[in-house]
Amino acid sequence: MPHDRLPPHPAATPETAPGRVHLDAGGSARLLPDAHEAFTRALAEGWADPRRLHSEGRRAASLLAGARSAVAEVVGARTEEVHLAPSHTAALHAGVRAVSLGRRRAGGSVVTSSVERAAVLEASAFSVDRHRATVDGSQAEHVSVPVDRLGRVDLDAMTAAVQAPGVSLAALQHSNGEVGTLQPLGDVHAAARSAGVPLLVDAGAALGHVDVGSDWDVLVADPADWGGPGGTGVLVVRQGVRQRADWPEDQDRWFPGGTNVPAAFAAAVALQAATADRAAQDTRRRRLVDRLRDRVQALVPDVDIVGDPDERLPHVLTFSCLYVDGEALVSELDRAGFAVGSGSACTSSALEPSHVLAAMGSLTHGNVRIALDRSTSEDDVERFLAELPTAVARVRDALGVGSL
């Protein structure tokens, strides 16, 4: 039954209606107060084109340089290695395509895990197709390495793939933003380095929440995930990594059209703020996620909690409910005052079945994806747990499977 045919949710009176609870912070966390203040300041002081030579332009350039320096300090890079993109997706596309093109003489194959974001998979396929079209007899291929039931890449298969002849680039996420599982970056980076292959690490779900380490040659991150504004992304490319922009103009810049200075400045300030209280937030949010893992399993029949229970991000949890349509459950929880995600984390607006869960061999429908931000309280979690069994039961009843 379509979700719009569910029986009406019991109306809440003004006295009993709870405040809304946002549990879908992955890639869309609340703007941190420091970031809001920085954005307002940069709008007033950094509105000019930072490429101009007048005073206003130099002021904007100074804010932009400060943003790059702040990001570089957090991730352990040089300022000149940091590039600020118009979005996380644009940064992923640029990193994959430019490095692949810059290393075309080494070969055209790109190795990824099967659970990378859609942007990485699409850019990898594009780069391989481009290499085939321009190099006669090319045997380039996009190698997708499988993962286990926890979402962790097969280390032996990944090692063999990156060390095969003709590989221009390997890509492996730091951790999966949908199920939270950490990847074995140290071992994969060592294998890639021994083969002379740069490793691109998507830290879009990790930076600002955990230490992303130094096992990468290209790093990509998403400010909107750590409480920065949308409209910007981070791309860090180590010196020595060969790359070539694949657009016809502005060959000396990664992103033609310039940078959104206020967004970039606010993103850097938010990253500093998120990093400053990371340890305390880690402890608090792990405790809340552990509570969710234990209680969801006990409260809801026929539910599968996915991802590694220990080696994981501190704030992410996904579970799948049998006999439930994901769109209907998201809508039912929304009516009850809870914002959650479902479907694939990077294509959830279309509520497509999750390619991540499919690669893990898990149930791809009826899933709920939770990402806690810094404002999520114990009361928020308890209220969600109190409502979840009723919401699942209502969806199952509407689908005619309530008695199963």
Side-chain angles (χ1 to χ4, degrees):
M1 179 183 294
H3 69 279
D4 57 359
R5 292 175 58 190
L6 285 169
H9 195 280
T13 67
E15 293 76 21
T16 61
R20 287 191 59 78
V21 176
H22 189 261
L23 302 175
D24 190 21
S28 59
R30 298 175 193 271
L31 193 67
L32 294 179
D34 287 354
H36 187 279
E37 181 180 347
F39 190 78
T40 302
R41 172 189 166 192
L43 283 174
E45 301 180 20
W47 51 268
D49 187 339
R51 296 169 293 184
R52 304 298 187 186
L53 299 180
H54 46 59
S55 296
E56 292 82 358
R58 292 198 302 272
R59 180 56 182 160
S62 177
L63 291 176
L64 189 57
R68 294 174 65 203
S69 177
V71 172
E73 182 178 2
V74 171
V75 303
R78 298 182 175 93
T79 299
E80 59 269 23
E81 295 172 336
V82 175
H83 310 276
L84 297 169
S87 69
H88 181 214
T89 296
L92 288 170
H93 283 173
V96 172
R97 293 169 60 171
V99 175
S100 296
L101 185 59
R103 285 180 39 82
R104 64 195 181 282
R105 291 184 179 178
S109 293
V110 178
V111 177
T112 72
S113 79
S114 59
V115 293
E116 299 301 311
R117 294 178 193 264
V120 173
L121 301 178
E122 292 161 359
S124 299
F126 171 89
S127 297
V128 169
D129 288 344
R130 176 181 58 192
H131 190 83
R132 288 173 176 168
T134 56
V135 178
D136 290 339
S138 170
Q139 300 298 311
E141 58 180 332
H142 173 205
V143 180
S144 179
V145 180
V147 298
D148 62 20
R149 289 193 63 83
L150 297 177
R152 185 166 290 110
V153 72
D154 183 322
L155 182 56
D156 291 339
M158 190 75 179
T159 298
V162 300
Q163 294 183 338
V167 177
S168 61
L169 176 69
L172 180 63
Q173 59 198 203
H174 173 280
S175 38
N176 189 271
E178 193 166 332
V179 302
T181 299
L182 304 182
Q183 298 292 355
L185 285 180
D187 291 332
V188 173
H189 188 230
R193 176 173 289 180
S194 70
V197 175
L199 178 66
L200 181 149
V201 171
D202 176 12
L207 189 59
H209 304 287
V210 295
D211 182 0
V212 299
S214 59
D215 293 315
W216 51 269
D217 301 296
V218 180
L219 185 75
V220 184
D222 183 9
D225 200 89
W226 66 66
T232 188
V234 172
L235 171 66
V236 189
V237 184
R238 297 286 195 197
Q239 287 186 346
V241 176
R242 296 183 63 87
Q243 49 80 20
R244 177 183 171 187
D246 60 352
W247 42 82
E249 299 179 359
D250 297 322
Q251 293 287 338
D252 60 330
R253 294 205 310 275
W254 281 87
F255 303 102
T259 303
N260 183 331
V261 175
F265 184 70
V269 170
L271 180 58
Q272 290 178 319
T275 302
D277 75 339
R278 190 173 62 201
Q281 286 292 334
D282 183 280
T283 300
R284 188 182 71 84
R285 292 191 290 179
R286 284 187 190 278
R287 184 174 64 250
L288 294 178
V289 169
D290 286 342
R291 184 179 305 175
L292 284 164
R293 292 184 69 94
D294 293 341
R295 296 281 299 283
V296 166
Q297 193 85 54
L299 292 170
V300 181
D302 299 309
V303 65
D304 178 28
I305 298 178
V306 297
D308 195 300
D310 301 310
E311 298 298 318
R312 59 172 173 83
L313 292 172
H315 63 298
V316 174
L317 174 69
T318 289
F319 57 90
S320 299
C321 303
L322 197 62
Y323 315 123
V324 167
D325 174 76
E327 183 177 1
L329 184 54
V330 167
S331 298
E332 182 68 13
L333 287 168
D334 184 55
R335 282 192 287 269
F338 301 92
V340 299
S342 185
S344 177
C346 47
T347 56
S348 57
S349 61
L351 285 170
E352 298 175 3
S354 167
H355 73 279
V356 171
L357 297 181
M360 294 168 59
S362 300
L363 185 66
T364 59
H365 296 281
N367 61 81
V368 172
R369 187 181 67 254
I370 292 174
L372 309 183
D373 68 17
R374 283 165 170 74
S375 68
T376 308
S377 68
E378 293 188 13
D379 182 63
D380 292 335
V381 169
E382 288 301 321
R383 286 167 50 199
F384 173 77
L385 289 169
E387 180 63 34
L388 179 65
T390 301
V392 172
R394 283 169 57 82
V395 173
R396 286 174 173 168
D397 286 343
L399 295 172
V401 294
S403 60
L404 294 179

